[in-house]
Amino acid sequence: MNISVIGAGYVGLVSAVCFAELGHKVIVVDNDPSKLLILKEGRVPIHEDLLPELLQRHLSQSLIFTDSIAQAVRASEVIFITVGTPSSSTGDADLCCVEAVIRELAMHITSRKVIVEKSTVPVRTCDSIRRTMELNGAAPHLFSVASNPEFLREGTAVMDFLYPDRIVVGVDDSYSEEKLSQVYAPLWEGSYYRREGLIPGDESHSPRFIITNTKSAELIKHASNAFLAMKISFINAVANIAERVGADIDQIKEGVGSDRRIGPGFLNAGIGFGGSCFPKDVLAFRAVARDAGYDFDLLDSVMRINQDQRHQFLRKVRDVLWTLRDKRIAILGLAFKADTDDVRESPAIEIAKALIKEGCHITAYDPVAMPRALEQIQTRIGDGTIEAASDPYTAAKNADAVLILTEWGEFASLDLTKLRREMRLPVIIDGRNLYRPEEMDAAGFVYYSVGRAPVFPSDRISAAPDLMFEEIA
Ligand code: NAD
Ligand code: UGA
């Protein structure tokens, strides 16, 4: 099929190369000239596993990049919209970019198209798209509007797209249903999984193809993200109780997550969720509910617990280091999660900024997010500073503490002896629970994590006087 994708960001670019991988001809439109330049040269502007390989495989053959919506409209039967939908100051989704695209589409439409909203949007956005198309002169018989929410995660986006749990298609007419069924047929019929040269995964995979009306599809996306965010806040709340009573969140996670009705996913306690989606989507869903006349205050608690989790972490840093001014702190990880260079709404960035404001001198290392992170953080705030290191051990040089803020695989297998040798004080505060407390105890570290008892080697020393007294006696 001839498809266009408008907006070549994390979702648009991955969707476009994957549509090409499924055998379609794809035109990708973006209005950012520097991004287009990079893409036309066959380079990828974001860090995403498998994306460079797929771009190389399909560029020019079945994938082209342009800044012209007019060209895309002329050449395609199905048009996916994947532009950003950030939070506005009131928490509602800001749909300006979507509207701008729709107005332009309306100007160029001359034959029947399916316009598919793939960006995450509030319920009833498809209705607004229809109205705006007509208002801007598009004849109603020339277009259908559908919703096809995207569930990929950054870092595993290509695999999530090609091996999804489900594909949700929200349609209000049979023409859209037929076209979108065709677009995704290689996945739900399974022909892709039998193809030679496929991106390897579970070849017995069989995603569910779920057809709903447009409003249900729009709500499925917000409800899915809000539910996952709620799971994270729930386990973080339980972790806070565990810390206070001396229980262990890892054991709790195993016990709770083994119930198949609950499931083990998204039960990792830490410094709270970040990223460009969960925070904005929980707020937007809250606003959607309010507009619909329902007070979904559970979502306020999800956000409050999430925000508080960062403060709890900063409290631990203060507990261990006492005053913060002029302390030297190594930060490992600035991306909002592992395997991405995305730092939007990253809890790590928020923690780094708070520490710099308090006068700390930070040396930070992230395997890929360093340039984007430094764009977000001023290198000097008040008396505090931040500088980049080339590896975890250089970051730890003369540090009073190492903070682990992103769950990168390489941070879970540090050479602890080497790390300790570099540091001024043997203190690790782990916001992602990458180590077992016993391991850190054995390595001689003071170790604080989330939802587990802290390790303080002086606890052992404080037990010593009794023994000595007995010896003397
Ligand atoms: P992004 O900011 O990375 O990409 C958006 C792209 O749209 C940018 O390249 C921008 O230049 C382009 N754009 C904006 N206005 C345009 C216009 N008028 N014409 C052409 N191009 C235009 O955003 P993203 O992270 O890809 O998210 C896009 C949407 O998908 C959001 O609604 C988001 O909530 C949703 N989503 C994101 C993810 C994710 O993992 N990032 C996953 C699922 C859903
Ligand atoms: C999330 C969803 O998982 C995707 O299904 C969805 O498509 C996407 O949002 C979106 O709508 O944009 P993503 O933001 O890429 O994907 O990352 P996640 O893996 O969901 O992680 C989000 C945040 O939660 C990260 O900060 C991560 O560190 C944190 N997290 C995740 C936890 O703190 N604990 C967990 O158990 C899982």
Side-chain angles (χ1 to χ4, degrees):
M1 291 180 79
N2 292 315
I3 289 178
S4 50
V5 175
I6 304 179
Y10 284 85
V11 165
L13 188 54
V14 171
S15 304
V17 297
C18 289
F19 284 141
E21 173 72 3
L22 296 184
H24 304 302
K25 296 254 178 245
V26 187
I27 299 182
V28 189
V29 185
D30 205 283
N31 63 359
D32 177 342
S34 56
K35 194 175 266 189
L36 283 177
L37 196 68
I38 293 173
L39 288 165
K40 283 178 180 171
E41 286 171 358
R43 292 182 293 127
V44 174
I46 54 175
H47 177 88
E48 192 57 59
D49 194 26
L50 298 170
L51 199 52
E53 291 90 317
L54 282 187
L55 183 65
Q56 285 304 327
R57 189 181 287 184
H58 298 294
L59 189 63
S60 308
Q61 317 292 320
S62 46
L63 190 63
I64 56 169
F65 293 95
T66 175
D67 62 357
S68 164
I69 288 189
Q71 184 192 352
V73 175
R74 270 198 306 276
S76 37
E77 303 153 74
V78 182
I79 301 160
F80 287 86
I81 299 170
T82 54
V83 295
T85 53
S87 274
S88 69
S89 55
T90 54
D92 301 80
D94 177 347
L95 299 178
C96 287
C97 289
V98 177
E99 192 190 334
V101 169
I102 295 301
R103 291 215 310 261
E104 217 176 324
L105 283 179
M107 276 162 40
H108 297 292
I109 200 160
T110 51
S111 61
R112 185 142 195 203
K113 314 287 173 192
V114 181
I115 299 167
V116 187
E117 178 46 77
K118 202 175 200 29
S119 301
T120 302
V121 291
V123 65
R124 294 197 283 241
T125 296
C126 284
D127 289 352
S128 303
I129 290 177
R130 270 184 212 111
R131 272 200 310 277
T132 306
M133 287 290 292
E134 285 186 41
L135 208 60
N136 285 277
H141 67 279
L142 288 184
F143 69 91
S144 299
V145 179
S147 164
N148 170 222
E150 182 48 60
F151 302 100
L152 62 78
R153 290 161 299 173
E154 291 179 22
T156 51
V158 168
M159 290 304 279
D160 286 347
F161 193 98
L162 294 173
Y163 293 84
D165 292 341
R166 80 304 207 183
I167 297 155
V168 173
V169 155
V171 291
D172 296 328
D173 59 83
S174 55
Y175 186 76
S176 309
E177 179 175 338
E178 187 195 317
K179 289 292 171 190
L180 280 165
S181 301
Q182 265 176 275
V183 168
Y184 285 107
L187 298 180
W188 62 265
E189 283 180 356
S191 61
Y192 179 70
Y193 307 118
R194 298 186 292 274
R195 192 181 290 172
E196 245 175 64
L198 84 172
I199 296 291
D202 170 12
E203 284 153 37
S204 65
H205 193 73
S206 174
R208 287 194 61 190
F209 190 63
I210 300 174
I211 298 169
T212 69
N213 61 34
T214 50
K215 292 189 181 74
S216 299
E218 290 165 336
L219 274 177
I220 285 169
K221 176 62 193 177
H222 265 163
S224 301
N225 272 8
F227 192 87
L228 291 170
M230 180 188 70
K231 253 187 130 178
I232 299 170
S233 278
F234 191 90
I235 201 68
N236 280 332
V238 176
N240 284 316
I241 302 169
E243 270 174 30
R244 285 164 173 76
V245 301
D248 182 318
I249 196 65
D250 290 343
Q251 296 174 2
I252 297 170
K253 178 189 161 188
E254 195 187 348
V256 172
S258 304
D259 184 328
R260 269 185 295 168
R261 293 169 304 172
I262 298 172
F266 279 70
L267 287 180
N268 292 324
I271 49 177
F273 57 79
S276 66
C277 293
F278 280 176
K280 88 161 164 64
D281 291 344
V282 173
L283 287 178
F285 196 25
R286 177 77 172 103
V288 161
R290 198 188 312 114
D291 289 349
Y294 181 75
D295 182 15
F296 202 165
D297 56 357
L298 171 65
L299 298 182
D300 291 338
S301 299
V302 169
M303 288 306 287
R304 187 183 44 73
I305 295 167
N306 195 52
Q307 201 53 39
D308 188 50
Q309 209 56 16
R310 294 151 203 208
H311 299 144
Q312 299 279 355
F313 185 81
L314 284 166
R315 221 165 283 147
K316 282 176 194 157
V317 180
R318 271 190 215 100
D319 268 5
V320 186
L321 296 184
W322 198 6
T323 64
L324 292 180
R325 173 172 290 277
D326 287 334
K327 293 281 158 64
R328 302 197 68 82
I329 293 185
I331 285 185
L332 303 187
L334 286 167
F336 84 98
K337 61 181 256 190
D339 303 319
T340 179
D341 57 351
D342 198 344
V343 294
R344 291 178 287 181
E345 298 286 326
S346 170
I349 298 264
E350 206 179 306
I351 288 168
K353 280 183 176 169
L355 291 170
I356 302 171
K357 230 180 195 161
E358 298 238 20
C360 293
H361 300 291
I362 309 273
T363 311
Y365 167 71
D366 188 288
V368 299
M370 221 51 233
R372 280 179 201 258
L374 289 181
E375 271 171 31
Q376 295 248 328
I377 310 174
Q378 287 167 270
T379 48
R380 170 174 280 280
I381 305 174
D383 293 335
T385 55
I386 184 166
E387 60 182 287
S390 53
D391 61 76
Y393 308 98
T394 317
K397 212 168 189 51
N398 294 325
D400 293 296
V402 164
L403 312 188
I404 301 177
L405 299 185
T406 308
E407 64 274 41
W408 282 99
E410 71 169 277
F411 299 157
S413 54
L414 294 169
D415 177 339
L416 295 178
T417 314
K418 185 172 170 193
L419 191 75
R420 196 182 157 186
R421 224 181 292 130
E422 296 295 342
M423 299 174 67
R424 199 180 77 77
L425 295 175
V427 175
I428 295 186
I429 308 175
D430 181 356
R432 299 293 191 165
N433 287 1
L434 296 190
Y435 289 89
R436 294 291 315 146
E438 307 81 64
E439 194 181 354
M440 283 292 173
D441 194 13
F445 279 99
V446 169
Y447 178 67
Y448 278 58
S449 55
V450 181
R452 306 182 300 186
V455 169
F456 217 95
S458 68
D459 288 349
R460 288 194 304 269
I461 299 162
S462 67
D466 284 353
L467 286 173
M468 281 163 62
F469 180 78
E470 277 167 18
E471 276 166 18
I472 294 162

